[in-house]
Amino acid sequence: MTKAFSVFPHRYLSQDMLMEAIDPELECVSIGQSVEGRSIYCLRLGTGTKKILAWAQMHGNETTTTRGLFDFIERLKGDQQLLSQCNFALILQLNPDGAFRYTRVNANGVDLNRDAIDVSQPETKAFMNFFEGFAPDLCLNLHDQRTRFTVGTTKKEAALSFLAPSADTDRTWTKARLEAVRIISHVYRQFNRSVQHRIGRFDDRFDPQCFGDYLTQKGVPTILVEAGQWGSDYDRVITRRLVYESLHHLVDGFCIAPIETDALETYLNIPENTQYGYDVGYFDPLKQLWLGMRYSEQLQNERVVFEEEGYEELDPAADDFFFFRELK
Ligand SMILES: [Zn+2]
């Protein structure tokens, strides 16, 4: 654990920064190339039979789960029991060009998470080729979510959100989907109280171009993990830690947790995400209105800066807003 938590203290994380910190003793294979010719790397750990494929930063500007996964790997290296049970394939940056530019999309301007059927991009091709060959038993699709996401109507930020993606438009509870539900329920039971009920459930509208939906449809249990905001921690150091912890709970849930008969009930009781969050807000006494603003993120000299956008008027009767910072 020497390197974990101490490297990458900020949101920007390029491939060069990442590769410099990766333990050179780890098995690292290239599974393909990005549009701009960067290798897409996959770390391989473990000799067990339970195959777990995880990938982060398919959206290049979503680095919190990459950082949490890095910490998880640092700890995993010494966990002989888990390494003898599982066979891990871990892609820390599926979109290295987007990571370099700090963009959601790849260098062709395509959102890879809307390319699962088209497979029009080299990054998607590399992933699908690897996926077919590896044939995982569990997929973990790791992302960041914006500050706007809140837990149900509680007016608490969704520091973490999980989803067992749909396999069809009817949102059928298929076998693969129920396995994802079982594991998420385990994580939720283990973890929700210690994160002060800051876990939400992501929207399950079916879109087969999204990796999670596509893979669930193919019968592989897949879990979407979204790292969110906690208070004023814009570097997301706290949620990075929560991602690290939840990866342990997810793997434990997959490997050892017993089958609970009420897993689906537990899952459905996780409050669905709302979008009540505003980064800054205040009450305007002249207008007699609440105003809320959401930052935009810009990359400047390898640092992410949060810039103010315009304020919008909020409806006090709707009471559907929450401020990370309230101006007095
Ligand atoms: Zn994302």
Side-chain angles (χ1 to χ4, degrees):
M1 287 294 282
T2 47
K3 280 182 189 154
F5 305 113
S6 59
V7 290
F8 328 129
H10 306 296
R11 288 281 276 276
Y12 180 66
L13 180 56
S14 69
Q15 189 181 57
D16 288 349
M17 292 159 72
L18 178 67
M19 295 313 288
E20 205 173 301
I22 296 271
D23 183 345
E25 308 245 306
L26 288 175
E27 183 187 347
C28 180
V29 294
S30 171
I31 62 164
Q33 305 256 307
S34 68
V35 173
E36 293 182 325
R38 291 184 176 88
S39 285
I40 298 164
Y41 292 112
C42 179
L43 296 176
R44 301 299 307 271
L45 291 97
T47 53
T49 53
K50 294 172 187 289
K51 290 187 277 185
I52 300 175
L53 170 59
W55 63 97
Q57 241 174 313
M58 72 185 300
H59 294 141
N61 59 348
E62 298 177 357
T63 65
T64 306
T65 41
T66 311
R67 296 183 291 157
L69 185 55
F70 176 88
D71 302 334
F72 176 75
I73 292 166
E74 285 293 299
R75 159 70 209 283
L76 188 60
K77 289 191 299 191
D79 192 336
Q80 291 311 322
Q81 197 190 347
L82 202 51
L83 289 175
S84 66
Q85 267 185 310
C86 296
N87 180 350
F88 291 96
L90 308 171
I91 303 167
L92 284 100
Q93 287 180 329
L94 184 56
N95 176 6
D97 298 347
F100 177 71
R101 295 151 185 252
Y102 199 71
T103 58
R104 177 181 175 88
V105 294
N106 75 350
N108 286 334
V110 174
D111 183 338
L112 300 179
N113 207 23
R114 302 291 181 273
D115 194 40
I117 294 176
D118 298 344
V119 196
S120 66
Q121 300 303 304
E123 295 88 353
T124 318
K125 282 193 186 90
F127 178 90
M128 292 301 175
N129 280 338
F130 182 78
F131 169 82
E132 294 293 340
F134 184 59
D137 303 303
L138 176 69
C139 285
L140 301 174
N141 184 9
L142 310 176
H143 291 256
D144 266 65
Q145 65 187 357
R146 289 164 293 172
T147 48
R148 65 173 63 215
F149 289 107
T150 39
V151 178
T153 53
T154 63
K155 298 194 179 182
K156 280 188 176 186
E157 64 271 45
L160 285 172
S161 298
F162 295 98
L163 175 70
S166 297
D168 53 42
T169 45
D170 292 337
R171 309 179 199 196
T172 308
W173 298 105
T174 62
K175 190 168 168 237
R177 195 175 181 208
L178 284 172
E179 172 65 355
V181 162
R182 180 185 75 80
I183 298 167
I184 294 170
S185 301
H186 169 79
V187 177
Y188 191 68
R189 283 199 196 97
Q190 296 292 316
F191 206 38
N192 188 42
R193 198 172 298 167
S194 60
V195 300
Q196 299 168 22
H197 305 274
R198 283 178 167 81
I199 295 179
R201 182 161 48 89
F202 215 80
D203 170 19
D204 70 347
R205 198 167 357 109
F206 179 63
D207 181 349
Q209 289 278 26
C210 295
F211 275 39
D213 306 49
Y214 177 82
L215 299 173
T216 306
Q217 195 176 35
K218 292 198 84 163
V220 181
T222 302
I223 294 172
L224 173 75
V225 180
E226 296 272 355
Q229 180 89 358
W230 185 302
S232 59
D233 178 25
Y234 281 85
D235 283 322
R236 297 200 169 177
V237 175
I238 298 170
T239 34
R240 166 190 186 162
R241 177 82 198 202
L242 302 184
V243 169
Y244 163 80
E245 307 255 2
S246 56
L247 284 168
H248 282 286
H249 291 307
L250 286 163
V251 172
D252 276 356
F254 174 54
C255 292
I256 57 168
I259 293 171
E260 307 272 357
T261 49
D262 58 349
L264 183 57
E265 197 184 335
T266 303
Y267 176 76
L268 292 173
N269 278 334
I270 303 173
E272 218 174 13
N273 278 352
T274 49
Q275 299 193 29
Y276 287 6
Y278 289 84
D279 293 286
V280 187
Y282 68 95
F283 186 75
D284 184 330
L286 295 175
K287 289 183 179 165
Q288 286 291 303
L289 273 175
W290 289 95
L291 299 171
M293 184 272 295
R294 287 168 173 146
Y295 290 134
S296 70
E297 296 168 26
Q298 306 293 337
L299 183 65
Q300 285 178 14
N301 302 320
E302 299 203 341
R303 285 292 288 270
V304 178
V305 293
F306 296 87
E307 293 190 339
E308 294 207 0
E309 302 245 294
Y311 278 86
E312 58 180 280
E313 295 181 351
L314 306 172
D315 177 3
D319 194 30
D320 57 355
F321 48 86
F322 154 85
F323 304 136
F324 283 87
R325 186 161 66 96
E326 189 178 327
L327 303 178
K328 301 285 180 193

